[in-house]
Amino acid sequence: MVPNTLKDWERLAATISFRSDAFIDGAFVKSASGRTFASLSPIDGRHLADIACCEEEDVNRTVSSARKAFED
């Protein structure tokens, strides 16, 4: 069935899930600290996902991975 009403689109949108881990070295991983922050819909303030809260260690892992990939 092709969604063609507002209710159809709302039902479809309710099934969407968001990736919430950091993407480092070709894989989705938790932040080193395990901390997260809430991502809220700008439309209605609804909670969408808890996103990995990346900090210095995560940035260092990412930069190291990118540097290795670049040099290879």
Side-chain angles (χ1 to χ4, degrees):
M1 172 175 109
V2 177
N4 59 5
T5 68
L6 177 59
K7 288 219 179 281
D8 290 338
W9 283 107
E10 287 173 342
R11 274 194 295 273
L12 184 61
T15 67
I16 296 173
S17 63
F18 298 93
R19 292 259 190 183
S20 57
D21 293 337
F23 190 73
I24 300 174
D25 198 21
F28 286 96
V29 296
K30 303 282 184 212
S31 64
S33 69
R35 293 180 54 216
T36 61
F37 65 91
S39 175
L40 305 177
S41 168
I43 296 171
D44 58 11
R46 176 175 54 95
H47 180 266
L48 298 174
D50 290 316
I51 307 296
C53 184
C54 294
E55 298 173 356
E56 183 177 0
E57 184 176 341
D58 303 293
V59 173
N60 289 340
R61 287 177 21 212
T62 303
V63 170
S64 176
S65 171
R67 183 175 308 278
K68 182 177 180 282
F70 175 77
E71 290 172 355
D72 287 346

